[in-house]
Amino acid sequence: MGSHRNALVAAVRQELAEARGTARAVLAAAETARGEAQHRKGLVREAYATCLNQLAAAREAARDDIQRRYRSEAVRLAGHLRGLATVTATGAAGAPWRVWAPSEPEPGGRPGLLRIGTIAFEETAALPGLVPLLDAAHLHLAGPPAVLDQVITGLLLRALGSTRPGDVQLTVYDPEQLGGTLAPFAPLSPSLVGPGALGSLLDELVEHICRVNAMPGPRTEPWRLVVLLADRATGAEMTPVQRAQLERIVRNGVAAGVHLLVRGLDLVDHASVERIVVSERTAYCDSLGTLPISLDPPPPADRVAAFCKAAADRLRAGPAPARLSDLEPPKFWAASSAYGLPAPIGDCTDGTMVEVPLGDEFPHALIGGPSGSGKTNLIHVWLSSLATRYGPEELALYLLDFKEGVSFARYAPGSRDPSWLPQVRLAGINVNADREFGLAMLRHLAEEMRTRSLAGKRHGAGTLAGLRAADPDGHWPRIVAVVDEFQALITGRDATAEEAAGLLEDIARRGGAQGVHLILASPDTIGVQALSGCFPLRIALPKARRILPDDNLAAAVIPRYHAVVNTASGAAGANRIVRLPDAGDRTVWRTLQRRLWRSRPIGCEEPRLFDGNAVPRLPAAYRLAAFSAPGPTLIGSSPGAVLGERIDVAAQPARLRLGRMPGRNLAVLGARTDEACDVLAAAALSLAAQGPAHFSVICLAPEAERAAARLVAELPAADWYDSSDVTFDLPATEVPHYVLGYALDAAGPAHRPSLRALLDSGPERRTHVLGWWRTVPRLRDDLGGLGADLDAIGAWVALDVAGADLTPLYPHPGGPVWYPRPRRALFFDRSVHRTPEVIIPYEVNSDHT
């Protein structure tokens, strides 16, 4: 029993021990789990705190980035808005009052917005608060009248200051102050409307709007700016008819250039009405929504008065001429002349440029105006506009001035200015006495037309544009020939006038298709009736006669520096009035020409300048540079004596071939000693420059001794004979022998037989006489008297000898048509010429000694 109890006790103890052990193990495990849980809890709390910190940092960084980008975008947007405001409210329309000054609008530019204050935008600089007006809206203002009047004063000053004087007509209705509200604008003489005249004003505005809107084309009328400063009685006294008229003005006025600035009177709701509500110094307007505008202070009264006085003075003085620089394109020589040469010559009343459409449709132009009306100025303006648009590959200019002046000399290089206009090929000045040069230019143009016509036929092209497309490698610029006072070229009944008139008619009828254009200037159209159909393009200057039909009186009423451009042969409905720049400032022109000259392409040759008052010097190529080295031989087998310069497009010499044929002698005829000596000296020096030759100088005139002696000193081994030992029995030489005779008519009867023998047989032996006879009868006496055979003189140069006196030497009865003039000679070589040609004797020795 006891052992059983003990065993039971031991078993219980054992189980208790196991239970305690298990409990301790479970407790230890629980403690371990508890510790691990607490550790994890600590890690989680630590991670949570770290996450919160990181999120807070990221939030702050994102907030800073957003704020930075917001500020950057705000600044950028404000800059764009400020730039946009600068563009849409330029100059006087948007400048603050402290720097405000009136500004001239760009030609053809549209009016912009007007500033009334500033808009605060975040931390950026304030933006200008702009409202529309001219060509855009009517303005209705509500608020304290005193503040509104200040706003209206500023708007008027900006609108008037950003337009040209006279472009805006101001009308004021102010029944309470009778115009005193806008008293500073009194110098501009605004139209003031009394308290009882509102209805008449509204009716007149409606009629004006109907008339302007019914006119075809763009509006040319000035803006009408009507300020209605209504009092309390105005609205109550308005009749239904007046309100209806006011509504018509609101609906249709903007399109006609009529704008209302209204204070104290309700306007009907319309898209053209911009409402401005003012509270103290803050304004809100329809176009800017809820953005508040801090109003600018009113403009200084002295500035308003000074501007209005200056504008009134300018308005009384009339519009100033446009500037030459206004005609320049954005980029020089960027235009193509394939289809024409349109170019502006000035602006019209609305500031837009007026182009002259010279080209395929209007190939030629006629300019008319009396002396002093500005024809030359117009030509300079037109040429400058063409020269800046079309390069030398696109345009070639030929210029002739038949007045006594040097207006075209500016286009060629001179002693003071080496530049020239790259498009100019030829410039003729002082040619009023040298119609032969004008005829030579017309012949050159006719030959150019023929060349282009043949090239067009080869390529199957009928116009210049087609030829240039078919032959892109060819050089086919458009040619413009300008002839000032061209009536001098075709006046008269001689052969020169007849041929010139025929060439002009041919070029006028066929030249346009070949890209050859004429610009003819004259006091009127007398002498060109046959060509009038070829000149639908007319430009009339003030007081021009017959350039426009009798029923077109536009030229009679335009002021100085204006012209009428008409493309319908003068029909009154096609008039365009243009203001011309003043091209007389040589400094401005020289600056422009030098810019073009420095841009000239490689190989661009300087123009040929023909000055009728200048005497050409014998070119160095025709002088003997070195006796031991023969100069260049002229074309052909026979030597050629240079006698003078031909009156031609190219400055070529007039040559006399001296071959071994009968009659190859020269007679210089006339009493002008200096010119006769120059002709003989030029002939001798040019012959000496061509190769070995022998010269014999026979001087029988004391007044020619110094010139003859100087020639002998320059010639290689020349023989000298004078009145003491004169002889014509000269020994034969192995080289060509040239006998230079000064005043051979003074040799006397005793020497006539030997002189005739030398003239008759000398050329076959390579001996040629180049002699000077002072009259034709004396030459005839030396050759045998009346009825003598003058065939020994195969060529002659006549100086101051009338054409009728040359009958014995001329193959046609009556002699040539020739009226002697200084430094001109008539040259005839019967082996070459059908009719004689006029030449200019070279100046060989400048002192004529």
Side-chain angles (χ1 to χ4, degrees):
M1 197 61 182
S3 57
H4 179 72
R5 184 183 295 150
N6 291 336
L8 182 57
V9 170
V12 171
R13 287 179 177 170
Q14 181 65 31
E15 290 178 358
L16 290 173
E18 291 177 357
R20 285 197 298 271
T22 300
R24 283 194 293 272
V26 172
L27 178 60
E31 290 292 339
T32 300
R34 176 174 173 272
E36 292 177 356
Q38 289 178 342
H39 178 65
R40 286 196 301 272
K41 178 181 177 182
L43 292 176
V44 169
R45 287 183 173 177
E46 184 178 349
Y48 174 73
T50 301
C51 183
L52 288 179
N53 293 334
Q54 291 176 346
L55 288 174
R59 182 188 62 187
E60 293 300 323
R63 179 183 297 171
D64 292 342
D65 181 64
I66 291 172
Q67 290 179 344
R68 178 184 57 78
R69 286 189 289 112
Y70 172 77
R71 287 191 294 270
S72 176
E73 288 295 320
V75 171
R76 185 180 65 83
L77 180 60
H80 288 174
L81 291 175
R82 193 171 290 106
L84 182 62
T86 302
V87 172
T88 56
T90 59
W97 294 127
R98 67 179 184 279
V99 294
W100 187 90
S103 59
E104 192 82 4
E106 292 294 329
R110 295 180 57 84
L113 305 178
L114 303 178
R115 169 174 167 157
I116 62 172
T118 57
I119 302 172
F121 185 71
E122 297 296 334
E123 299 177 0
T124 63
L127 300 174
L130 308 177
V131 296
L133 183 57
L134 297 181
D135 281 349
H138 306 287
L139 295 182
H140 179 270
L141 296 92
V147 179
L148 297 184
D149 292 344
Q150 294 176 357
V151 174
I152 291 174
T153 300
L155 285 169
L156 291 179
L157 184 59
R158 292 190 185 278
L160 295 169
S162 57
T163 56
R164 296 181 181 88
D167 284 355
V168 176
Q169 292 183 1
L170 184 60
T171 301
V172 178
Y173 171 75
D174 187 9
E176 190 171 7
Q177 297 292 332
L178 300 179
T181 305
L182 301 178
F185 295 94
L188 297 178
S189 301
S191 299
L192 298 178
V193 179
L198 179 60
S200 300
L201 171 63
L202 297 178
D203 293 340
E204 190 270 332
L205 292 176
V206 170
E207 292 178 2
H208 174 80
I209 292 170
C210 293
R211 179 174 55 83
V212 172
N213 288 339
M215 294 175 60
R219 178 181 57 84
T220 59
E221 299 284 336
W223 287 287
R224 295 284 301 272
L225 202 52
V226 182
V227 182
L228 301 180
L229 304 177
D231 57 5
R232 294 182 179 180
T234 301
E237 295 175 357
M238 287 186 66
T239 66
V241 173
Q242 292 174 349
R243 290 190 179 277
Q245 295 289 68
L246 183 60
E247 291 180 7
R248 292 190 183 97
I249 297 170
V250 170
R251 290 194 302 268
N252 305 313
V254 172
V258 176
H259 301 273
L260 303 176
L261 271 75
V262 180
R263 182 259 289 169
L265 189 66
D266 291 335
L267 293 183
V268 65
D269 290 333
H270 191 267
S272 64
V273 177
E274 176 81 2
R275 300 186 184 276
I276 302 175
V277 179
V278 176
S279 175
E280 295 183 352
R281 299 300 303 176
T282 302
Y284 298 87
C285 64
D286 292 343
S287 58
L288 295 178
T290 59
L291 290 176
I293 304 173
S294 297
L295 293 175
D296 285 336
D302 58 343
R303 187 164 298 178
V304 178
F307 163 77
C308 292
K309 183 179 182 303
D313 293 341
R314 287 185 57 191
L315 190 60
R316 283 192 294 270
R323 298 171 299 177
L324 197 63
S325 59
D326 295 338
L327 307 183
E328 297 179 7
K331 183 179 180 181
F332 285 176
W333 297 355
S336 170
S337 65
Y339 296 97
L341 294 164
I345 60 172
D347 59 359
C348 60
T349 54
D350 61 355
T352 58
M353 287 296 169
V354 177
E355 281 193 344
V356 180
L358 190 68
D360 292 343
E361 185 178 0
F362 302 101
H364 312 293
L366 200 58
I367 300 174
S371 178
S373 62
K375 293 191 301 296
T376 302
N377 179 71
L378 168 61
I379 291 172
H380 288 323
V381 169
W382 197 351
L383 292 180
S384 69
S385 183
L386 288 170
T388 55
R389 279 164 174 76
Y390 305 97
E393 294 86 1
E394 301 290 333
L395 173 65
L397 296 173
Y398 291 78
L399 314 175
L400 279 187
D401 186 1
F402 278 96
K403 297 193 308 295
E404 294 184 2
V406 292
S407 60
F408 290 149
R410 63 167 66 180
Y411 302 113
S415 57
R416 295 184 178 181
D417 185 7
S419 68
W420 71 85
L421 197 62
Q423 292 88 346
V424 175
R425 304 291 190 269
L426 172 74
I429 59 176
N430 294 316
V431 295
N432 51 304
D434 289 300
R435 293 185 302 151
E436 298 85 1
F437 187 75
L439 183 60
M441 189 194 78
L442 295 180
R443 290 171 178 165
H444 176 79
L445 296 179
E447 180 62 25
E448 181 66 25
M449 284 170 47
R450 191 181 72 86
T451 301
R452 296 185 177 202
S453 178
L454 293 175
K457 291 179 180 178
R458 288 197 305 269
H459 292 282
T463 63
L464 178 65
L467 177 58
R468 291 177 60 165
D471 184 21
D473 296 330
H475 186 56
W476 306 109
R478 285 192 182 265
I479 295 174
V480 175
V482 182
V483 186
D484 196 3
E485 302 291 336
F486 78 99
Q487 75 281 352
L489 181 59
I490 58 177
T491 300
R493 298 182 179 273
D494 56 5
T496 299
E498 292 178 2
E499 184 180 359
L503 288 172
L504 276 175
E505 183 174 0
D506 183 47
I507 297 172
R509 298 191 185 283
R510 301 190 302 111
Q514 308 302 331
V516 178
H517 307 278
L518 295 173
I519 298 177
L520 305 182
S522 174
D524 53 42
T525 59
I526 293 178
V528 295
Q529 285 81 1
L531 304 179
S532 58
C534 301
F535 289 84
L537 176 57
R538 312 278 181 93
I539 302 179
L541 291 157
K543 305 300 185 291
R545 298 178 303 165
R546 286 183 284 271
I547 190 74
L548 302 176
D550 294 340
D551 60 348
N552 190 346
L553 304 178
V557 297
I558 57 175
R560 188 186 181 197
Y561 287 115
H562 284 66
V564 181
V565 178
N566 190 294
T567 57
S569 299
N575 290 340
R576 292 199 70 187
I577 310 300
V578 55
R579 297 190 307 169
L580 302 172
D582 182 2
D585 192 330
R586 289 298 184 92
T587 302
V588 174
W589 172 256
R590 189 177 297 115
T591 302
L592 173 62
Q593 179 166 286
R594 285 181 177 176
R595 290 175 60 191
L596 298 174
W597 179 60
R598 295 188 186 102
S599 302
R600 68 191 186 279
I602 297 175
C604 182
E605 297 182 358
E606 69 179 57
R608 151 92 154 121
L609 176 64
F610 178 84
D611 185 354
N613 290 346
V615 180
R617 297 296 303 274
L618 178 65
Y622 305 117
R623 301 187 81 116
L624 188 61
F627 298 156
S628 58
T633 302
L634 297 180
I635 299 174
S637 59
S638 302
V642 171
L643 306 178
E645 182 176 283
R646 300 180 64 191
I647 300 181
D648 203 349
V649 171
Q652 297 295 327
R655 296 186 177 95
L656 170 65
R657 291 292 171 76
L658 297 175
R660 302 177 68 170
M661 295 86 70
R664 291 291 83 195
N665 301 301
L666 172 71
V668 180
L669 305 169
R672 294 201 291 251
T673 303
D674 291 343
E675 296 178 22
C677 293
D678 280 342
V679 171
L680 294 179
L685 293 174
S686 61
L687 290 168
Q690 296 175 60
H694 185 74
F695 295 89
S696 295
V697 178
I698 302 175
C699 183
L700 305 179
E703 64 271 20
E705 285 184 357
R706 292 179 64 85
R710 186 164 183 169
L711 175 62
V712 169
E714 195 169 349
L715 290 172
D719 300 329
W720 173 269
Y721 302 92
D722 54 25
S723 57
S724 63
D725 59 352
V726 60
T727 179
F728 296 103
D729 297 322
L730 301 173
T733 61
E734 297 180 356
V735 296
H737 187 188
Y738 303 107
V739 180
L740 304 171
Y742 290 79
L744 291 182
D745 52 279
H751 295 286
R752 285 174 180 170
S754 58
L755 175 58
R756 285 197 295 268
L758 181 62
L759 290 169
D760 290 337
S761 61
E764 298 178 4
R765 296 181 286 110
R766 302 174 69 185
T767 300
H768 307 275
V769 176
L770 290 81
W772 166 36
W773 283 265
R774 285 169 285 195
T775 65
V776 175
R778 292 185 181 184
L779 169 65
R780 186 175 54 193
D781 292 341
D782 286 344
L783 295 182
L786 290 174
D789 184 7
L790 303 183
D791 289 343
I793 303 299
W796 46 263
V797 173
L799 301 173
D800 54 344
V801 181
D805 295 338
L806 296 169
T807 301
L809 296 167
Y810 196 60
H812 304 293
V817 179
W818 168 241
Y819 303 98
R821 52 189 192 267
R823 263 297 158 178
R824 297 296 183 270
L826 196 65
F827 171 44
F828 181 75
D829 183 350
R830 69 184 183 192
S831 66
V832 175
H833 293 133
R834 296 179 59 187
T835 57
E837 67 171 318
V838 180
I839 65 173
I840 307 175
Y842 285 120
E843 184 180 67
V844 181
N845 302 313
S846 59
D847 56 356
H848 299 292
T849 59

